[in-house]
Amino acid sequence: MNKFVNKLIRNYLGAFMDRSRDKIALSDKIYQKDAKDSWELEERYNSLELGKKERLIINDYIACLMTREHRMADISYMAGVGDTVKFLNGIGLLKGSNNKVSKKRLKKL
């Protein structure tokens, strides 16, 4: 699954996902507030008197959190795309799909 997701993101959906996600995020009030808060906290963090070793550990930790969350966002997006394709195929709305689905089967999707 990981190789499949990586290939889809790298070759087909990466730029599309970023544009789509950015458009939604920039209009989301909660995201905007969190972004503003994070910039203010980053300024406060940078003004702390920390040793080089401590700052490096904290920076590595922050970078790890950010890359993990970005990766989860990509995986969630791909899961949503996959679920949508399965759903549309299951109810016969995709071109070339001959699936006729009952209400009972639709609930399982």
Side-chain angles (χ1 to χ4, degrees):
M1 176 68 174
N2 196 26
K3 287 181 183 180
F4 175 71
V5 169
N6 284 335
K7 184 177 178 180
L8 280 176
I9 291 169
R10 184 178 54 250
N11 295 337
Y12 305 105
L13 294 175
F16 178 79
M17 287 168 43
D18 289 341
R19 283 191 307 272
S20 176
R21 200 172 30 218
D22 289 348
K23 184 178 179 181
I24 294 169
L26 292 174
S27 66
D28 184 82
K29 299 283 188 221
I30 295 170
Y31 176 83
Q32 290 174 1
K33 182 175 179 344
D34 285 345
K36 183 181 178 220
D37 290 347
S38 70
W39 297 325
E40 290 173 5
L41 287 167
E42 183 177 1
E43 287 180 16
R44 290 172 56 191
Y45 164 69
N46 287 330
S47 70
L48 292 175
E49 294 183 22
L50 296 172
K52 187 175 181 178
K53 183 179 177 182
E54 290 81 9
R55 191 169 297 277
L56 183 61
I57 291 169
I58 294 169
N59 288 345
D60 286 348
Y61 175 65
I62 292 169
C64 181
L65 290 175
M66 291 175 71
T67 56
R68 182 190 72 189
E69 293 306 313
H70 185 77
R71 181 67 179 163
M72 181 54 80
D74 287 347
I75 291 169
S76 296
Y77 191 103
M78 292 303 303
V81 169
D83 290 346
T84 301
V85 169
K86 288 176 190 173
F87 175 77
L88 294 175
N89 186 50
I91 61 173
L93 289 180
L94 292 181
K95 185 176 180 178
S97 174
N98 293 324
N99 289 339
K100 301 293 181 204
V101 79
S102 67
K103 288 182 182 179
K104 184 177 179 181
R105 184 167 169 221
L106 184 56
K107 287 182 182 180
K108 291 181 181 180
L109 296 174

